[in-house]
């Protein structure tokens, strides 16, 4: 223990003050910042990383259970005692507090005080715990548990976790095969109902796997992501989290001898830091709705990405495409422009190929790689393509996926790929599907014992039977029954000295509910209006949300229950603290500002900071302890109220996007909120913007899916009268306002263009014909002033007619009528680019039909209006080519 501790302290420039062994165990006191050993960013780059390394090395390498308390503050550092007997000591309130935190029974492994958190920088995350009383402090002291990057996203090891021994054994068996020298990749697929404990299983299995890897001294890398509802239509969505995890091993220009550069060369650094040290450049899988990452962090990541792409000889514009548009990173230091012509050189296949190469380059040092993906039923199609490419090409890779049961959800995975996994790769052991069943009766008894801190033989049989029968073996339901009964003080010792129901109702308050949702509804009824309001807003915002989000919404919402913003901020804090203490929300807060942190102009976070009692507070992230809570809250809300909140959030986001360009993830959040609010035209406007950008990257399939989903907003819920055009009934078209009709036409036209680029000519023709028919049938079409929305339809159908993809009579009357309408509309519109396009089509058609006088007349008219230098580029961008 002494050798290990002093080795790591020396590596991070710390000092061992005292090493005490007595009948109660062993205590070590270490310090950072003694005279001659002070450094910039001492907490961020030395004290906290050293703490993590020592804690995990003692636990994993030596099997020593340990607890650490970490504080920062002024202290007396010097000699104490007499002339003949004295020692060097470090004394002060912060030292006493560190001892207090260390000795707390509730200490999960490491606890820090508020001062450490505030000096830690935003690259660290902490879980807030209940404040404690400490000697030398007048008020309760705020304490925090530091979170590793996986805990930050997936949660921590739970003391209540029971059962699943066979499943964990199965996961470890697959992992052992993947670890073998030059072994082929393995894919582990875990499915189960909501509340069955999929994520908890993976967290506990990975904890066991970590110990196995550390014991074998394997260099490894772990990357993880939790898929969200907004991910489905965002290409490469998982890499918003995965890339920061793997990019941290790409060297920056760091001074020799600093922890950042030496830790990778040390024997223990990579084995421990990769798993459990804070991910310095890791981000939330969920980014604040109203804010972007701080510029200093995103700049760091962009530099690393640029280094990798430079090694791979990738074009410069790819940094912009992958780093900014797809991943949402923003950098003041790197400014890469990418015009339309450059983007046309890219397609989805090249983007997937480069993403695979980036993953390979960033993990090439590792002897074992784990890619953990939660809720993959929400993962986008492009991410699936990359994951399968990694599965086929990377050695010593373990991919762990969790999903809801596939009877209720459909994966964005091609059917042939899924069949191949379940046949070929299942037979050779590279694909393993684990379906989580419900807990058995013995497991539920173990859960009760752990939850109530009892021996299993102390539990009353009837109490045990009631919990098991009512929960039906679902861990989330059983836990909520126990929480509810404990809060109501309805559990206690009985006459037989067993622990079970007490009170007159004997558990009726919990057992009368048929599901966990019923218990949650009953519990919500007891909350104050303010708390209910905050829960409603949080549920609409998502599974995770930020304090900044709630403040923005309540300050501008008509539903705000508070009179002014100052009262609003205080009430929000009180309500959120209550919900954290109730175990409904989990609070995670980032470290405070360190030297170099700043807000860029227009950063929403700078506007959401408030002063309470003269003290500035920082943003925090809150996550529902389980998705069942969010689902239950949303089910209770009136649709009209949900739509109002969604509408306000979308409007607020729209304001933020006007200040700067916005990445796909943020734009799709806006689209989701507009969609949920039922605001079709606003959703269509965002869809057209994002879809056009997708097409610039060659992602035509993704743009078509987005356009079709947006069109579905009109079709969904409408009554069919038997006559439909593109899914639109005649009654729907007859009542459609002009603005909505215009967006509908633009969406169909965009689908036609994208399908043509996919060489799906017949489908493209259908989209164009639907748009033209709708314009002919809908009464409000005559009110559309911008007739240019018709021009791509004419152009697209003309090409289809020219190449014989549409049948017509010998005289080509349909084609002649189409071209005539194009020329007439374009001439009235008055833009020479569109008019020249129409005339070029007319001249070409008459020449093909051997009507040469009309062809020459059209040619002469074209010559009088067309100027190649002025019009060619614009025409090519509008129509894809210049036929004039």
């Amino acid at each position: 223990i002494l050798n290990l501790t002093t080795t790591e302290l020396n590596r991070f420039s710390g000092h061992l003050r005292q090493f005490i062994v007595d009948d109660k165990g062993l205590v070590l006191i270490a310090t950072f910042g003694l005279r001659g050993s002070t450094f910039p960013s001492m907490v961020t780059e030395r004290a906290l990383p050293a703490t993590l390394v020592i804690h995990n090395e003692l636990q994993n390498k030596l099997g020593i259970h340990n607890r650490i308390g970490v504080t920062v503050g002024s202290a007396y550092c010097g000699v104490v005692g007499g002339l003949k007997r004295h020692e060097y000591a470090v004394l002060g309130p912060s030292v006493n507090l560190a001892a207090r935190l260390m000795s707390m029974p509730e200490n999960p492994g490491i606890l820090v005080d508020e001062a450490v958190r505030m000096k830690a920088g935003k690259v660290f995350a902490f879980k807030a715990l209940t404040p404690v009383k400490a000697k030398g402090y007048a008020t309760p002291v705020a304490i925090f548990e530091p979170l590793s990057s996986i805990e930050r996203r997936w949660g921590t090891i739970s003391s209540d976790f029971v059962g699943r021994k066979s499943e964990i054994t199965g996961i470890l068996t697959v992992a052992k095969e993947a670890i073998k020298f030059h072994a082929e990749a393995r894919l582990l697929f875990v499915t189960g109902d909501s509340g069955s404990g999929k994520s908890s299983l993976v967290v506990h299995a990975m904890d066991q796997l970590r110990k196995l890897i550390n014991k074998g001294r394997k260099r490894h890398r772990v990357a993880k992501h939790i898929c969200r509802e907004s991910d489905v239509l965002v290409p490469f969505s998982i890499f918003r989290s995965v890339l920061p995890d793997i990019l941290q091993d790409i060297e920056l220009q760091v001074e020799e001898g600093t922890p950042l550069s030496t830790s990778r060369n040390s024997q223990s650094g990579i084995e421990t830091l990769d798993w459990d040290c804070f991910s310095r450049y890791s981000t939330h899988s969920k980014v604040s709705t109203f804010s972007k990452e701080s510029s200093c962090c995103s700049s760091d990541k962009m530099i690393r990405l640029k280094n990798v792409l430079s090694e791979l000889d990738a074009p410069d514009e790819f940094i912009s495409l992958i780093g900014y548009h797809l991943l949402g990173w923003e950098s003041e230091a790197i400014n890469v422009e990418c015009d339309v012509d450059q983007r046309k050189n890219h397609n989805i296949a090249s983007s997937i190929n480069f993403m695979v190469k980036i993953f390979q380059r960033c993990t090439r040092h590792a002897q074992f790689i784990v890619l953990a993906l939660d809720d993959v039923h929400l993962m986008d199609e492009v991410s699936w393509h990359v994951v399968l490419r990694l599965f086929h090409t990377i050695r010593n890779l373990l991919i762990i996926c969790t999903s809801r049961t596939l009877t209720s959800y459909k994966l964005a995975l091609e059917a042939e790929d899924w069949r191949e996994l379940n046949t070929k790769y299942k037979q050779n052991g590279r694909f393993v599907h684990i379906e989580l069943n419900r807990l058995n009766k013995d497991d539920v008894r173990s859960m009760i014992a752990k939850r109530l801190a009892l021996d299993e033989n102390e539990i009353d049989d009837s109490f045990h039977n009631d919990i098991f029968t009512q929960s039906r073996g679902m861990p989330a339901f059983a836990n909520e029954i126990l929480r509810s009964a404990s809060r109501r003080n309805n559990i206690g010792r009985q006459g037989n000295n067993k622990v079970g129901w007490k009170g007159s109702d004997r558990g009726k308050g919990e057992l009368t509910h048929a599901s966990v949702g019923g218990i949650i509804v009953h519990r919500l009824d007891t909350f104050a209006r303010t708390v209910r309001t905050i829960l409603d807003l949080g549920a609409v915002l998502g599974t995770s949300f930020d304090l900044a989000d709630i403040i923005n919404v309540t300050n501008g919402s008509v539903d705000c229950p508070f009179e002014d913003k100052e009262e609003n901020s205080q009430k929000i804090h009180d309500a959120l603290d209550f919900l954290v203490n109730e175990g409904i929300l989990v609070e995670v807060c980032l470290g405070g500002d360190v030297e170099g942190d700043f807000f860029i102009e227009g950063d929403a976070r700078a506007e959401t900071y408030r002063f309470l009692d003269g003290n500035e507070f920082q943003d925090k992230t809150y996550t529902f302890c389980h998705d069942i809570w969010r689902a239950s809250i949303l089910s209770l809300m009136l649709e009209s109220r949900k739509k109002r909140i969604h509408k306000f959030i979308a409007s607020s986001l729209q304001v933020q996007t006007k200040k700067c360009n916005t990445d796909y993830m943020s734009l799709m959040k806006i689209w989701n909120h507009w969609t949920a609010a039922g605001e079709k035209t606003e959703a269509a406007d965002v869809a057209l913007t994002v879809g056009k950008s997708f097409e610039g990257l060659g992602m035509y399939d993704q743009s078509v899916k987005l356009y079709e989903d947006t069109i579905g907003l009109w079709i969904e819920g409408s009554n069919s009268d038997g006559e439909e055009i593109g899914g639109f009934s005649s009654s729907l078209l007859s009542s459609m306002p002009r603005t909505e009709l215009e967006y509908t036409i633009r969406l169909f036209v965009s689908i036609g263009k994208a399908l043509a680029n996919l060489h799906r000519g017949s489908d493209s023709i259908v989209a164009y014909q639907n748009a033209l028919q709708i314009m002919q049938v809908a009464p409000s079409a005559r009110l559309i002033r911008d007739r240019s929305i018709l021009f791509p339809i004419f152009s697209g159908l003309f090409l289809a007619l020219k190449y014989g993809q549409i049948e017509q009579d010998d005289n080509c009357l349909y084609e002649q009528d189409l071209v005539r309408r194009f020329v007439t509309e374009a001439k009235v519109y008055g833009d020479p680019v569109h008019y020249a396009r129409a005339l070029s089509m007319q001249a070409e058609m008459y020449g093909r039909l051997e009507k040469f006088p009309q062809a020459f007349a059209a040619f002469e008219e074209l010559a009088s209006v067309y100027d190649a230098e002025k019009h060619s580029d614009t025409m090519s961008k509008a129509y894809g080519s210049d036929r004039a």
Side-chain angles (χ1 to χ4, degrees):
I1 294 173
L2 180 62
N3 286 340
L4 186 151
T5 304
T6 53
T7 298
E8 297 302 335
L9 287 174
N10 288 337
R11 186 157 67 92
F12 289 94
S13 302
H15 294 86
L16 182 65
R17 140 76 181 113
Q18 200 166 31
F19 187 91
I20 306 169
V21 182
D22 57 23
D23 59 334
K24 296 181 180 178
L26 172 66
V27 176
L28 299 91
I29 302 176
T31 65
F32 290 83
L34 292 179
R35 183 174 298 174
S37 297
T38 57
F39 301 90
S41 304
M42 194 159 55
V43 171
T44 305
E45 295 187 355
R46 297 184 183 272
L48 278 178
T51 300
L52 266 291
V53 171
I54 292 171
H55 173 69
N56 291 310
E57 289 287 271
L58 287 173
Q59 183 170 280
N60 298 325
K61 187 184 293 184
L62 302 182
I64 302 295
H65 175 68
N66 64 95
R67 295 197 298 250
I68 302 178
V70 187
T71 59
V72 63
S74 299
Y76 168 77
C77 305
V79 176
V80 296
L83 290 175
K84 294 184 178 180
R85 185 177 180 181
H86 53 261
E87 64 177 344
Y88 187 88
V90 179
L91 306 173
S94 60
V95 182
N96 297 336
L97 179 59
R100 172 83 169 85
L101 298 182
M102 176 199 69
S103 60
M104 285 180 60
E106 299 84 359
N107 188 328
I110 302 174
L111 287 179
V112 306
D113 67 350
E114 175 78 2
V116 170
R117 182 185 76 84
M118 294 304 295
K119 290 180 179 291
K122 294 181 176 62
V123 293
F124 293 92
F126 302 86
K127 179 181 178 181
L129 303 177
T130 305
V132 298
K133 294 181 179 179
K135 184 179 179 181
Y137 293 83
T139 58
V141 177
I143 59 174
F144 304 86
E145 176 190 358
L147 300 178
S148 66
S149 55
I150 189 168
E151 292 170 339
R152 183 173 175 178
R153 296 189 193 135
W154 279 28
T156 57
I157 299 295
S158 172
S159 59
D160 297 339
F161 185 80
V162 297
R164 308 302 188 198
K165 292 181 181 179
S166 62
E167 289 88 349
I168 290 178
T169 300
I171 293 174
L172 294 179
T173 301
V174 175
K176 288 176 182 178
E177 291 298 317
I179 293 172
K180 291 179 180 179
F181 178 72
H182 209 58
E184 292 181 303
R186 298 312 197 257
L187 198 159
L188 187 68
F189 201 86
V190 182
T191 57
D193 293 323
S194 177
S196 61
K198 301 182 295 296
S199 300
S200 295
L201 170 66
V202 173
V203 169
H204 285 78
M206 290 183 71
D207 181 59
Q208 297 293 319
L209 180 56
R210 176 194 61 188
K211 296 174 182 177
L212 177 68
I213 299 302
N214 285 335
K215 187 176 180 181
R217 308 300 292 171
K218 294 281 188 179
R219 296 191 306 273
H220 53 262
R221 166 55 58 204
V222 180
K224 51 271 165 189
H225 178 76
I226 299 177
C227 302
R228 305 295 187 193
E229 294 168 344
S230 57
D231 289 359
V232 179
L233 295 175
V234 180
F236 301 103
S237 60
I238 68 170
F239 291 94
R240 193 175 184 117
S241 299
V242 169
L243 266 186
D245 283 344
I246 61 177
L247 277 171
Q248 56 186 304
D249 283 334
I250 303 302
E251 293 290 348
L252 287 173
Q253 294 181 354
V254 191
E255 293 181 11
E256 193 65 32
T258 62
L260 195 60
S261 61
T262 60
S263 64
R264 289 183 175 81
N265 299 324
S266 68
Q267 186 178 7
S268 62
I270 194 166
E271 284 88 348
T272 306
L273 286 174
D274 279 2
W275 278 88
D276 298 290
C277 190
F278 303 104
S279 227
R280 276 186 55 79
Y281 305 97
S282 181
T283 62
H284 291 291
S285 58
K286 179 261 180 192
V287 177
S288 174
T289 303
F290 293 96
S291 64
K292 288 182 177 289
E293 297 178 68
S294 66
S295 295
C296 53
C297 292
S298 58
S299 175
D300 227 1
K301 287 179 257 183
M302 287 289 278
I303 293 171
R304 291 167 184 262
L305 179 63
K306 184 178 180 181
N307 291 342
V308 173
L309 293 176
S310 177
E311 280 188 40
L312 299 176
D313 198 26
D316 287 340
E317 62 270 14
F318 198 73
I319 302 174
S320 173
L321 300 181
I322 295 294
Y324 180 73
H325 292 291
L326 297 179
L327 303 180
W329 294 346
E330 190 170 30
S331 171
E332 299 296 316
I334 301 175
N335 183 20
V336 180
E337 296 295 333
C338 178
D339 60 30
V340 174
D341 291 333
Q342 289 173 318
R343 291 164 71 171
K344 285 170 68 176
N345 294 327
H346 292 282
N347 54 49
I348 190 63
S350 65
S351 298
I352 291 172
N353 185 50
F354 267 114
M355 193 64 79
V356 172
K357 288 183 178 180
I358 292 171
F359 192 95
Q360 288 175 315
R361 168 59 187 89
C362 293
T363 58
R364 71 183 183 186
H365 74 284
Q367 295 171 302
F368 181 55
I369 309 157
V370 179
L371 177 59
L373 306 170
D374 197 14
D375 288 339
V376 295
H377 56 280
L378 301 174
M379 192 162 82
D380 68 280
E381 182 182 3
V382 180
S383 290
W384 269 116
H385 284 305
V386 180
V387 168
L388 290 179
R389 282 281 303 278
L390 295 175
F391 175 73
H392 291 303
T393 57
I394 302 228
R395 299 280 176 170
N396 299 114
L397 169 66
L398 174 62
I399 304 171
I400 303 176
C401 299
T402 71
S403 170
R404 299 275 180 91
T405 53
L406 300 183
T407 54
S408 305
Y409 292 86
K410 182 181 179 181
L411 300 177
L413 183 64
E414 292 184 10
E416 182 58 34
D417 290 327
W418 182 246
R419 275 194 300 271
E420 189 175 37
L421 287 173
N422 281 278
T423 53
K424 175 182 176 180
Y425 295 110
K426 188 174 183 178
Q427 290 172 3
N428 64 20
R430 292 186 59 197
F431 175 77
V432 177
H433 186 181
I434 297 177
E435 189 165 355
L436 286 189
N437 297 315
R438 302 177 182 226
L439 296 177
N440 60 39
K441 200 168 184 178
D442 290 338
D443 289 335
V444 173
R445 180 180 283 274
S446 297
M447 177 187 290
I448 296 170
K450 286 190 174 185
R451 180 78 187 174
L452 303 179
L454 300 169
D455 290 332
E456 291 187 19
N457 56 15
E458 294 183 85
I459 301 170
D460 180 68
D461 289 339
S462 62
F463 175 69
H464 170 216
N465 288 331
D466 287 343
I467 300 295
F468 175 73
T469 302
Q470 190 66 13
S471 68
R472 299 183 295 280
M474 292 296 285
F477 195 1
N479 260 319
E480 198 56 46
I481 292 173
L482 291 171
R483 286 195 190 100
S484 176
S486 297
R487 279 190 302 272
R488 297 196 312 120
N489 195 27
N490 201 23
I491 301 175
R493 292 280 176 183
Q494 299 179 337
N496 59 3
N497 205 31
K498 300 280 188 177
V499 174
W501 301 116
K502 72 174 187 178
S504 57
D505 66 357
R506 295 191 62 79
K508 291 181 180 178
E510 287 72 38
L511 301 180
T512 53
H513 302 291
S515 67
V516 66
I519 294 179
I520 289 174
V521 171
H522 177 75
R523 189 172 170 191
L524 288 172
D525 289 339
T526 65
F527 291 166
R529 174 174 174 256
T530 300
V531 176
R532 285 290 302 272
T533 298
I534 298 301
L535 272 178
D536 288 350
L537 296 177
V540 172
L541 282 165
T543 304
S544 294
F545 57 90
D546 289 344
L547 177 60
D549 300 346
I550 293 289
I551 289 176
N552 270 289
V553 174
T554 54
N555 280 347
S557 173
V558 294
D559 294 327
C560 177
F562 316 120
E563 295 180 1
D564 55 52
K565 293 184 178 181
E566 186 174 351
E567 180 192 9
N568 176 21
S569 299
Q570 186 61 63
K571 293 286 188 181
I572 288 173
H573 270 82
D574 293 343
L576 290 171
D577 287 344
F578 171 80
L579 292 169
V580 170
N581 291 331
E582 286 286 306
I584 298 170
L585 298 178
V586 176
E587 175 188 327
V588 175
C589 46
L590 300 180
D593 293 330
V594 294
E595 186 178 359
D597 277 355
F598 61 93
F599 289 124
I600 60 174
E601 184 177 357
D603 192 338
R605 292 177 302 164
E607 300 172 4
T608 60
Y609 277 46
R610 298 291 183 271
F611 287 89
L612 296 178
D613 301 326
N615 297 316
E616 185 181 8
F617 69 81
Q618 291 185 309
D619 205 3
K620 302 175 182 178
T621 296
Y622 296 88
T623 303
F624 282 96
C625 65
H626 199 283
D627 196 52
I628 291 176
W629 267 97
R630 178 173 177 250
S632 299
I633 293 166
L634 290 174
S635 67
L636 291 173
M637 293 177 65
L638 294 174
E639 285 299 317
S640 58
R641 174 168 166 76
K642 280 192 284 190
K643 287 184 176 181
R644 282 202 310 272
I645 296 174
H646 278 297
K647 183 177 180 179
F648 179 78
I649 294 171
S651 300
S652 301
L653 280 168
Q654 249 2 101
V655 172
Q656 296 300 323
T657 58
K658 291 179 181 178
K659 298 180 180 180
C660 58
N661 293 328
T662 307
D663 59 278
Y664 294 152
M665 190 73 75
S666 300
L667 285 172
M668 289 311 302
K669 286 181 181 177
I670 298 174
W671 182 84
N672 279 320
H673 285 298
W674 282 131
T675 300
E679 299 293 332
K680 305 180 187 67
T681 56
E682 286 79 2
D685 189 56
V686 176
L688 290 168
T689 301
V690 176
K692 185 177 180 180
S693 189
F694 281 175
E695 291 166 21
L697 296 174
M699 296 186 289
Y700 297 106
D701 279 318
Q702 287 68 39
S703 63
V704 170
K705 180 71 166 63
L706 178 58
Y707 298 145
E708 289 177 343
D709 284 0
T710 307
I711 287 176
L713 298 177
W714 279 277
I715 299 174
E716 185 179 354
S718 63
N719 295 322
S720 175
D721 51 16
E723 299 179 10
E724 292 186 353
I725 303 172
F728 288 75
S729 64
S730 57
S731 58
L732 177 60
L733 292 174
S734 63
S735 62
M736 186 176 287
R738 174 188 61 81
T739 305
E740 292 188 17
L741 180 67
E742 188 170 347
Y743 273 110
T744 301
I745 299 300
R746 292 186 187 279
L747 288 167
F748 272 113
V749 169
S750 296
I751 291 173
K753 287 182 178 180
L755 291 172
N757 281 298
L758 289 170
H759 305 292
R760 292 168 55 184
S762 57
D763 294 331
S764 175
I765 292 168
V766 171
Y768 285 133
Q769 288 178 331
N770 284 336
L772 192 59
Q773 284 182 277
I774 289 173
M775 280 291 290
Q776 293 169 341
V777 171
S780 59
R782 67 179 184 276
L783 302 176
I784 296 178
R785 296 178 181 177
D786 183 6
R787 309 300 290 184
S788 66
I789 65 171
L790 291 168
F791 300 162
I793 303 174
F794 295 142
S795 178
L797 291 176
F798 171 78
L799 292 175
L801 288 162
K802 175 183 175 180
Y803 293 112
Q805 294 175 320
I806 301 177
E807 293 185 5
Q808 57 177 332
D809 60 90
D810 294 337
N811 295 321
C812 300
L813 296 178
Y814 177 74
E815 183 179 5
Q816 292 187 57
D817 180 63
L818 189 76
V819 173
R820 179 189 56 77
R821 289 180 60 189
F822 189 6
V823 172
T824 303
E825 294 278 6
K827 186 175 183 178
V828 173
Y829 188 72
D831 188 325
V833 172
H834 297 300
Y835 188 37
R837 175 73 173 191
L839 289 170
S840 65
M841 286 171 45
Q842 189 177 53
E844 183 180 339
M845 178 195 67
Y846 282 139
R848 180 163 29 88
L849 297 178
E850 299 183 359
K851 295 186 177 184
F852 298 116
Q854 294 95 321
F856 277 113
F859 176 80
E860 290 174 1
E861 179 71 7
L862 173 64
S864 68
V865 299
Y866 176 70
D867 185 327
E869 290 185 1
K870 293 181 180 179
H871 303 145
S872 183
D873 286 345
T874 306
M875 187 179 295
S876 295
K877 290 178 181 179
Y879 294 97
S881 63
D882 179 6
R883 297 184 175 274

